[in-house]
């Protein structure tokens, strides 16, 4: 009973924190949002000249942020290596 | 499992699925899609083949060693493009700044390193799906053998 009450209080604190965070978030689609800075503007305006790719998303994930994608591929590689080494072990 | 309908439909649909996956990978810099989604389509087509026919038929088409080598090769192609840009005298994974020709935007062979990296990621994701599927199925087979 005591444990359930503690869990309930803990979850309530987390819920209050999450709801407070959501209420503080900027409205969706507002042009004055801080995320609408020069970075996406540069991607949209200059990516064709700088990378030669029509697909802006491809130019972001495999050129501007290719290092991030390399990390993503590494995660995939390590995951499959761990899975195979576990499956082949027995 | 012997199912004539599944086998017949698979035989008809498989070339189109693989061609579409290859299209999504190779046009990653032109149209929606890219290495991850196109590789998932190609990997799913190989899984479909192994499910509709049987595992040994699937292994005959693409053996375990080949798919493991392709998986490492895709990742190495990605990292190799990064090292190649360093050898050309710029940052890791540089594209136009490294002097890689980007061609005419809109052509199939354009955008320099992006196309090669997308191809590498596509190969890697496809072979990852196939390798994981084979490993899971074979693991089950081995446990039966040991019993």
């Amino acid at each position: 009973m005591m444990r359930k009450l503690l869990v309930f209080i803990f979850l309530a604190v987390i819920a209050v924190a999450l709801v407070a965070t959501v209420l503080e978030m900027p409205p969706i689609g507002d042009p004055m949002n801080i995320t609408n800075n020069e970075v996406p503007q540069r991607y949209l305006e200059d990516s064709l000249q700088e990378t030669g790719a029509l697909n802006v998303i491809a130019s972001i994930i495999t050129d501007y942020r290719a290092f991030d994608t390399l990390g993503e591929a590494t995660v995939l590689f390590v995951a499959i290596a761990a899975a195979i080494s576990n499956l082949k072990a027995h | 499992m012997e199912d004539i309908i599944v086998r017949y439909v698979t035989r008809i649909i498989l070339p189109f699925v693989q061609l579409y996956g290859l299209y999504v990978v190779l046009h990653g810099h032109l149209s929606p899609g890219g290495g991850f989604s196109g590789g998932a389509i190609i990997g799913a087509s190989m899984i479909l083949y192994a499910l509709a026919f049987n595992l040994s038929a699937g292994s005959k088409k693409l053996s375990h060693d080949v798919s493991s080598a392709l998986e490492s090769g895709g990742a190495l192609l990605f990292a190799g493009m990064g090292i190649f840009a360093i050898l050309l005298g710029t940052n890791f994974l540089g594209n136009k700044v490294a002097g890689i020709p980007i061609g005419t935007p809109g052509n199939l062979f354009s955008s320099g390193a992006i196309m090669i990296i997308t191809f590498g990621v596509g190969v890697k994701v496809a072979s990852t799906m196939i390798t994981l599927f084979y490993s899971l199925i074979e693991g089950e087979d081995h446990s039966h053998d040991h019993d």
Side-chain angles (χ1 to χ4, degrees):
Chain A
M1 186 62 205
M2 190 64 194
R3 193 172 154 170
K4 272 187 181 173
L5 197 67
L6 274 174
V7 168
F8 183 78
I9 292 168
F10 185 63
L11 288 177
V13 168
I14 292 177
V16 167
L18 288 176
V19 169
T21 311
V22 170
L23 288 178
E24 284 294 312
M25 277 166 71
I28 295 170
D30 189 355
M32 296 308 290
N33 279 352
I34 50 168
T35 50
N36 282 336
N37 53 13
E38 68 278 1
V39 177
Q41 210 173 351
R42 167 150 180 189
Y43 286 160
L44 290 174
E45 287 172 359
D46 296 348
S47 71
L48 190 60
Q49 296 166 14
E50 287 180 351
T51 66
L54 293 183
N55 186 356
V56 181
I57 296 169
S59 75
I60 291 172
I61 65 168
T62 55
D63 192 318
Y64 292 112
R65 298 181 179 183
F67 196 55
D68 180 54
T69 311
L70 182 61
E72 211 172 310
T74 310
V75 167
L76 206 62
F77 187 80
V78 173
I80 191 76
I84 287 176
S85 60
N86 272 313
L87 288 168
K88 289 279 167 70
H90 66 85
Chain B
M1 191 179 73
E2 292 280 331
D3 191 337
I4 187 70
I5 297 172
V6 171
R7 286 190 174 192
Y8 202 76
V9 170
T10 302
R11 203 173 285 160
I12 294 169
I13 210 174
L14 203 66
F16 296 103
V17 174
Q18 288 188 331
L19 192 66
Y20 180 62
L22 207 61
Y23 167 82
V24 171
V25 170
L26 289 180
H27 288 71
H29 56 297
L30 300 175
S31 59
F36 284 97
S37 39
I41 294 170
I42 296 175
S45 74
M46 293 303 294
I47 290 176
L48 176 68
Y49 183 83
L51 279 176
F53 296 86
N54 50 35
L55 189 67
S56 58
S59 301
K60 211 177 284 176
K61 293 281 179 195
L62 189 72
S63 72
H64 211 300
D65 292 338
V66 172
S67 67
S68 298
L70 281 176
E71 193 192 348
S72 309
L76 280 175
L77 183 64
F78 194 154
M81 283 308 294
I83 306 290
F84 182 61
I86 291 182
L87 292 178
L88 288 174
T90 48
N91 293 328
F92 187 64
L93 288 166
N95 186 7
K96 193 186 179 185
V97 286
I100 298 172
I102 62 170
T104 313
N107 283 359
L108 178 58
F109 293 102
S110 65
S111 76
I114 289 181
M115 197 196 167
I116 300 167
I117 289 173
T118 307
F119 184 72
V121 170
V123 168
K124 189 184 156 24
V125 171
S127 55
T128 296
M129 287 184 69
I130 298 161
T131 310
L132 189 56
F133 177 74
Y134 283 176
S135 301
L136 287 169
I137 298 293
E138 282 170 1
E140 214 161 74
D141 282 350
H142 282 308
S143 66
H144 284 299
D145 289 344
H146 285 303
D147 291 339

